[in-house]
């Protein structure tokens, strides 16, 4: 991990949210999709905690974060930062997505997930760098995305042309309520899961639980190495000291900054 | 050198006035970027209990204005595992290691303290007194540990009760006082649930400063260490002027390690 000053070089608005492109070569070159960056926001001491972002675009010189259109004061401050301003970044945190060398067919599954008890919401936008990289490597990529509102879906023009894109609108999940079958991206899984060599997913824990159920139903087993998920955790230090990001995984209570934030789906739901 | 245990035969001499507060660098195995042991006069481990503790459930962090609440519930793998995994490395570090004893398991304190008496990797103990403790509790707890070990004992007090509890701690054998853990506070997590725990970060600093000043005025003749929300050179200087001999950093190391480096260098200055 490094602490580095990044320069805001581009701002794009998308609905009420924004994308900020930050020039920080040393950080950009060390980042992979799914790794977190902790960004200082605000002036002085408030807000005090860094905001957690996952890159939505990467190149050799810069990385891009997406500021959601929510009421968070750190996000609100970021939406007002002038081009040319500098932002203090700590990253990268943990492990990112990694497509195994022999995987030809990559299935990406996303949900625009709200904040939960486990931590901040995970945006499917975090999958974008992995999608772009897999497509550029000549792999076949399918991307299925669900959101509560059409405006929260990723515009198709943001994806490489070769990516097969499926979208679904579904009402937000209600904790502790069983999922409705065939709703959201679940409707695509009977066709896509047998095709996939590897799955990369970003969403809520309920989303991952439904994914595991679907994998077991369609492929008859959930083995280690088939599905990688981005775990929604709240980070404070990012180096394993503070224990703020602990999560109860199948193998026990672990620090997500050390084990994740990208985990094998088996680590989350267990082998059974 | 700064002597934190002037009345103890073992001595606890710090080469620098800045300590890494409890758990700030894990068990000396979790270093924020740019941070190294040579910056500090001593390192304090996370709170350790005799048996492993799973701590509080996930969802341990909530933000407050200029600060945060972090409730780990003294999550730790237990004394034996901590020693197995880290004691060898502690011996190699050229900086004193203080083991923090979990405030939630005071019944373990004498047993752990006794085991550490002959451990070369541990230079002393930091006992964490929880909010709401009474002077008679503190006297009992510290007295039990004092009888179990001759190692230097630092007693960390809640800043809001520091002046009330300090005489009992010193009377029972504390070598130094750490002021202290932030006042109990509550904040709302990102999922809307309320989290209650000690206030941390800059918001806690005013409580630290008033606690340090109040204990210093008691004239107890033991060193005072200030910890809790120190994040600027001015904060550190205010603590020294109020009577502290050393300071502890924790949240600054997590949130802005480069600022911590600047603070340490400025104090070396």
């Amino acid at each position: 991990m490094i602490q580095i000053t990044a320069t805001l070089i581009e701002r794009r608005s998308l609905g009420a949210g924004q994308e900020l492109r930050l020039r920080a070569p040393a950080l950009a070159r060390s980042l992979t999709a799914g790794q977190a960056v902790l960004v200082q926001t605000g002036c002085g001491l408030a807000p005090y905690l860094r905001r957690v972002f996952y890159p939505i675009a990467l190149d050799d010189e810069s990385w891009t974060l997406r500021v959601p259109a929510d009421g968070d004061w750190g996000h609100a401050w970021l939406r007002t930062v002038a081009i040319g301003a500098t932002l203090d970044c700590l990253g990268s945190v943990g492990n990112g997505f990694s497509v195994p060398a022999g995987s030809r067919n990559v299935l990406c599954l996303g949900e625009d997930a709200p904040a939960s008890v486990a931590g901040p919401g995970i945006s499917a936008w975090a999958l974008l760098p992995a999608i772009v990289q897999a497509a550029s490597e000549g792999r076949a990529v399918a991307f299925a995305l669900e959101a509560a509102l059409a405006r929260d879906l990723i515009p198709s023009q943001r994806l490489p042309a070769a990516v097969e894109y499926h979208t679904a609108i579904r009402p937000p999940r209600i904790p502790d309520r069983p999922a409705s079958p065939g709703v959201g991206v679940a409707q695509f899984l009977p066709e896509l899961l047998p095709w996939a060599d590897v799955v990369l997913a970003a969403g809520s824990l309920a989303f991952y639980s439904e994914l595991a159920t679907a994998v077991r139903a369609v492929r008859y087993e959930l083995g280690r190495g088939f599905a990688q998920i981005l775990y929604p955790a709240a980070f404070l230090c990012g180096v394993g000291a503070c224990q703020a990001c602990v999560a109860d995984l199948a193998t026990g209570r672990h620090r997500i900054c050390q084990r994740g934030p990208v985990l094998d789906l088996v680590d989350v739901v267990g082998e059974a | 050198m700064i002597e934190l245990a002037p009345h103890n035969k073992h001595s606890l001499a710090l080469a620098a006035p800045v300590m890494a507060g409890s758990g700030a660098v894990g068990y000396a195995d979790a270093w924020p970027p740019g941070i190294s042991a040579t910056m500090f006069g001593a390192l304090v481990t996370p709170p350790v209990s005799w048996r492993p503790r799973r701590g509080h459930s996930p969802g341990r962090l909530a933000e407050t204005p200029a600060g945060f609440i972090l409730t780990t519930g003294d999550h730790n793998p237990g004394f034996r595992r901590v020693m197995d995994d880290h004691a060898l490395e502690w011996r190699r570090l050229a900086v004193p290691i203080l083991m923090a004893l979990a405030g939630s398991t005071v019944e373990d304190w004498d047993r752990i303290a006794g085991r550490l008496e002959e451990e070369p990797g541990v230079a002393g103990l930091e006992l964490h007194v929880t909010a709401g403790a009474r002077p008679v509790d503190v006297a009992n707890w510290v007295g039990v540990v004092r009888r179990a070990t001759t190692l230097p004992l630092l007693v960390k007090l809640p800043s809001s009760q520091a002046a009330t509890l300090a005489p009992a701690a010193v009377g029972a054998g504390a070598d130094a006082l750490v002021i202290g853990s932030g006042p109990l506070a509550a904040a709302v997590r990102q999922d809307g649930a309320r989290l209650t725990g000690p206030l941390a970060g800059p918001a806690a600093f005013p409580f630290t400063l008033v606690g340090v000043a109040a204990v210093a005025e008691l004239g107890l003749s033991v060193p005072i260490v200030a910890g809790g929300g120190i994040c600027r050179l001015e904060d550190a200087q205010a603590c020294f002027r109020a009577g502290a001999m050393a300071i502890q950093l924790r949240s600054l190391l997590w949130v802005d390690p480069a600022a911590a480096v600047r603070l340490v260098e400025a104090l070396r200055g």
Side-chain angles (χ1 to χ4, degrees):
Chain A
M1 177 191 277
I2 57 173
Q3 183 173 5
I4 199 164
T5 300
T7 304
L8 177 59
I9 55 175
E10 185 181 1
R11 178 198 307 281
R12 292 174 65 175
S13 293
L14 186 69
Q18 289 186 359
E19 294 174 24
L20 306 183
R21 186 168 163 234
L22 302 169
R23 188 176 186 284
L27 177 58
R29 287 175 199 143
S30 71
L31 265 177
T32 59
Q35 288 186 305
V37 181
L38 313 182
V39 179
Q40 204 168 52
T41 63
C43 302
L45 301 175
Y48 189 61
L49 300 183
R50 289 171 181 263
R51 269 37 184 176
V52 180
F53 292 97
Y54 300 91
I56 67 166
L58 285 169
D59 60 42
D60 277 352
E61 297 290 313
S62 67
W63 69 286
T64 303
L65 61 84
R66 182 167 179 267
V67 186
D70 59 19
D72 177 81
W73 17 323
H75 293 165
W77 180 85
L78 279 174
R79 290 194 291 267
T80 67
V81 173
I83 298 292
T86 55
L87 296 174
D88 191 290
C89 302
L90 269 175
S92 52
V93 175
N95 311 305
F97 290 109
S98 174
V99 176
S103 302
R104 289 173 302 162
N105 302 330
V106 180
L107 173 59
C108 296
L109 300 172
E111 175 205 26
D112 227 41
S116 71
V117 67
I122 287 284
S123 168
W125 288 81
L127 290 167
L128 271 185
I131 292 171
V132 169
Q133 183 178 349
S136 72
E137 291 167 348
R139 305 177 203 269
V141 181
F143 179 30
L145 172 63
E146 66 179 44
L149 300 168
R151 71 178 186 204
D152 294 330
L153 295 170
I154 296 174
S156 58
Q157 61 267 31
R158 300 298 301 272
L159 303 172
V163 173
E164 176 185 324
Y165 189 29
H166 304 267
T167 61
I169 304 298
R170 66 164 288 169
R173 288 177 172 76
I174 300 172
D176 304 324
R177 291 262 186 93
S180 307
V183 174
V185 299
Q187 63 190 287
F188 310 119
L189 296 182
E191 180 184 339
L192 293 175
L193 282 175
W195 165 84
D197 295 320
V198 64
V199 173
L200 314 180
S204 64
L205 295 180
F207 182 75
Y208 300 147
S209 176
E210 290 175 26
L211 171 60
T213 302
V215 172
R216 289 176 181 129
V218 173
R219 296 177 64 101
Y220 309 116
E221 65 172 358
L222 172 59
R224 188 170 287 278
F226 178 64
Q228 301 168 28
I229 62 96
L230 181 55
Y231 198 94
F235 297 113
L236 203 175
C237 72
V239 295
C242 69
Q243 305 192 58
C245 64
V246 297
D248 287 330
L249 305 179
T251 52
R253 187 162 284 177
H254 298 287
R255 291 167 291 188
I256 296 302
C257 67
Q258 302 288 292
R259 289 284 184 114
V262 172
L263 299 166
D264 195 295
L265 181 58
V266 169
D267 290 330
V268 179
V269 300
E271 303 257 11
Chain B
M1 299 294 269
I2 297 154
E3 179 55 62
L4 284 190
H7 310 302
N8 189 303
K9 67 175 183 179
H10 290 291
S11 168
L12 181 58
L14 275 55
V18 182
M19 304 166 67
S22 179
V25 292
Y27 300 96
D29 63 344
W31 297 94
I35 303 297
S36 64
T38 56
M39 292 170 52
F40 302 106
L43 312 179
V44 186
T45 72
V48 174
S49 52
W50 182 253
R51 291 187 174 156
R53 285 179 69 88
R54 281 173 57 79
H56 288 151
S57 298
R60 295 173 168 183
L61 180 66
E63 191 171 46
T64 69
F68 61 93
I69 292 168
L70 175 66
T71 58
T72 65
D74 293 334
H75 182 168
N76 77 93
F79 174 74
R80 293 178 66 163
R81 181 63 187 266
V82 168
M83 296 305 291
D84 280 355
D85 288 351
H86 303 290
L88 201 59
E89 177 62 21
W90 294 344
R91 290 176 209 168
R92 295 193 189 111
L93 288 174
V95 60
I97 302 290
L98 306 181
M99 180 173 283
L101 301 192
S104 56
T105 56
V106 292
E107 67 276 9
D108 295 345
W109 286 5
D110 60 330
R111 182 156 48 168
I112 295 176
R115 297 292 178 100
L116 290 174
E117 183 74 8
E118 304 299 327
E119 171 51 54
V122 177
L125 299 167
E126 182 177 280
L127 313 181
H128 288 191
V129 174
T130 52
R134 301 168 301 166
V136 65
D137 300 324
V138 173
N140 286 338
W141 298 335
V142 176
V144 165
V145 179
R146 182 73 291 167
R147 287 188 287 277
T149 182
T150 59
L151 287 173
L153 288 186
L154 278 64
V155 179
K156 186 175 183 178
L157 301 171
S159 55
S160 55
Q161 292 178 267
T164 307
L165 300 178
V170 173
D175 289 300
L177 300 171
V178 182
I179 318 294
S181 40
L184 206 60
V188 177
R189 284 193 316 227
Q190 287 179 310
D191 65 329
R194 190 178 68 239
L195 188 68
T196 301
L199 185 63
F205 178 70
F207 302 95
T208 301
L209 186 58
V210 74
V212 168
V215 171
E217 285 171 11
L218 296 175
L220 294 173
S221 76
V222 297
I224 297 170
V225 179
I230 295 168
C231 62
R232 302 177 305 163
L233 177 61
E234 293 85 347
D235 300 339
Q237 290 169 333
C239 289
F240 292 132
R241 282 197 299 272
M245 289 184 67
I247 62 168
Q248 291 189 352
L249 300 181
R250 191 183 67 145
S251 63
L252 186 65
L253 292 167
W254 296 342
V255 171
D256 193 350
V261 172
R262 289 193 298 270
L263 172 55
V264 169
E265 288 175 350
L267 287 173
R268 277 185 188 147

